Amino acid sequence: MDDFMRRYIQDGQTSVANYLLDNFRAVGMTTDQLLVYIQLRREMDRGVLMPDADKLAKKLGWNQQRVYQVLHEMIENKLMTIESVTTSQGQSQDAYDFRLLVEKLSQLSVQEKTVVAEAAKQAETTDRATVFGQIETEFGRPLSPLEMESINHWLDDDHYKPELIQLALKEAVLNQVYNLKYMDRILLNWEKKNLTTAVQVQRDKERQQPRRSAKPTTPGGEVPDVPIFKLTDN
């Protein structure tokens, strides 16, 4: 084994969580702070709990002042702390502690879920308002409290999607029937057929359309004239 491979293996590896690499900016960490963190992690994995700032500066190609500044920022931004620990020899020693950083990373998942939930709630509110507005527009009048309760029941209890209610409204308007009872019968009919989306309803309608029967033709390919008789003629 040549010297390079021997040194390559002996130097070992530093493990950095991909979640941190993906989200370091989200927790308020700068690129410089991330570089310092990686160098600190490298030394700490080797058992050096309080790496020397001068050594870090040489590894990064910085001066000591810049390293101290970044370390101070990391402490100030609650990305790390300096804690007193007891070594295996029973001695007390200062060490960098990154539990605050891990805690901030763990909160990101909670924040993401909250944002997604709020976005979904906002979208639901918007869809609900759209349904109410469209029905009032097509009916040409404000909805009564009882009608509003019926629509809320469709959305909250029957779990009909807004797009399905809007499609039922379209069917009612095409048939010039402007009341919720008619729409309710349409929705119930779709529910019995297990049609829960507008796409499924459209496909079902296409299947239900009767095929046009082919007209009989003469051997020459022309459609023969069929005389029409009125049964009431004498």
Side-chain angles (χ1 to χ4, degrees), residues 73-87:
E73 290 172 355
M74 293 175 71
I75 294 173
E76 192 175 52
N77 295 338
K78 294 182 170 50
L79 297 173
M80 73 174 187
T81 57
I82 297 177
E83 303 291 336
S84 180
V85 298
T86 302
T87 65

Side-chain angles (χ1 to χ4, degrees), residues 1-13 46:
M1 183 181 295
D2 58 28
D3 291 340
F4 166 74
M5 289 303 300
R6 185 180 296 106
R7 183 174 179 182
Y8 184 88
I9 294 172
Q10 288 177 346
D11 279 359
Q13 297 181 5
R46 292 177 169 181

Side-chain angles (χ1 to χ4, degrees), residues 143-157:
L143 293 167
S144 68
L146 187 59
E147 287 175 322
M148 291 182 180
E149 184 179 343
S150 296
I151 297 170
N152 282 324
H153 180 82
W154 288 343
L155 292 164
D156 299 331
D157 299 328

Side-chain angles (χ1 to χ4, degrees), residues 11-176:
D11 279 359
Q13 297 181 5
T14 300
S15 177
V16 179
N18 287 330
Y19 195 79
L20 171 61
L21 296 178
D22 290 337
N23 297 282
F24 71 94
R25 290 187 182 278
V27 296
M29 180 180 274
T30 65
T31 304
D32 283 353
Q33 291 168 359
L34 177 63
L35 288 173
V36 170
Y37 168 82
I38 293 173
Q39 290 296 331
L40 289 174
R41 189 79 270 165
R42 172 179 181 271
E43 295 299 323
M44 293 172 69
D45 287 347
R46 292 177 169 181
V48 183
L49 302 181
M50 197 76 172
D52 183 66
D54 182 52
K55 187 175 182 179
L56 293 177
K58 290 179 180 179
K59 293 291 184 183
L60 294 166
W62 297 352
N63 56 47
Q64 273 192 0
Q65 184 60 36
R66 185 177 177 184
V67 172
Y68 281 127
Q69 178 64 33
V70 173
L71 291 172
H72 175 73
E73 290 172 355
M74 293 175 71
I75 294 173
E76 192 175 52
N77 295 338
K78 294 182 170 50
L79 297 173
M80 73 174 187
T81 57
I82 297 177
E83 303 291 336
S84 180
V85 298
T86 302
T87 65
S88 57
Q89 290 78 27
Q91 298 176 337
S92 180
Q93 181 181 347
D94 288 338
Y96 290 117
D97 190 302
F98 292 101
R99 281 177 292 183
L100 289 178
L101 173 60
V102 175
E103 184 177 341
K104 281 193 172 187
L105 287 170
S106 69
Q107 289 300 313
L108 286 181
S109 178
V110 177
Q111 293 171 7
E112 288 171 359
K113 290 180 181 178
T114 302
V115 170
V116 171
E118 289 178 352
K121 185 177 180 181
Q122 181 63 37
E124 181 183 349
T125 302
T126 302
D127 290 342
R128 188 180 298 259
T130 300
V131 168
F132 276 91
Q134 287 181 344
I135 293 176
E136 287 185 332
T137 299
E138 296 295 347
F139 283 11
R141 60 174 175 78
L143 293 167
S144 68
L146 187 59
E147 287 175 322
M148 291 182 180
E149 184 179 343
S150 296
I151 297 170
N152 282 324
H153 180 82
W154 288 343
L155 292 164
D156 299 331
D157 299 328
D158 295 328
H159 302 293
Y160 293 142
K161 295 180 180 179
E163 66 175 23
L164 211 62
I165 298 173
Q166 291 166 327
L167 196 57
L169 173 63
K170 182 179 179 181
E171 292 286 328
V173 171
L174 287 174
N175 289 282
Q176 297 184 344

Side-chain angles (χ1 to χ4, degrees), residues 148-213:
M148 291 182 180
E149 184 179 343
S150 296
I151 297 170
N152 282 324
H153 180 82
W154 288 343
L155 292 164
D156 299 331
D157 299 328
D158 295 328
H159 302 293
Y160 293 142
K161 295 180 180 179
E163 66 175 23
L164 211 62
I165 298 173
Q166 291 166 327
L167 196 57
L169 173 63
K170 182 179 179 181
E171 292 286 328
V173 171
L174 287 174
N175 289 282
Q176 297 184 344
V177 182
Y178 302 97
N179 64 68
L180 297 188
K181 289 183 179 179
Y182 186 78
M183 290 177 60
D184 190 55
R185 287 198 296 271
I186 294 173
L187 291 167
L188 283 173
N189 182 49
W190 289 342
E191 183 178 358
K192 289 177 182 177
K193 294 181 178 180
N194 199 29
L195 305 176
T196 59
T197 67
V199 174
Q200 290 174 341
V201 170
Q202 183 60 35
R203 287 175 180 169
D204 182 71
K205 289 177 66 176
E206 291 172 356
R207 284 196 298 267
Q208 295 299 325
Q209 287 178 351
R211 297 181 179 178
R212 295 181 179 179
S213 56

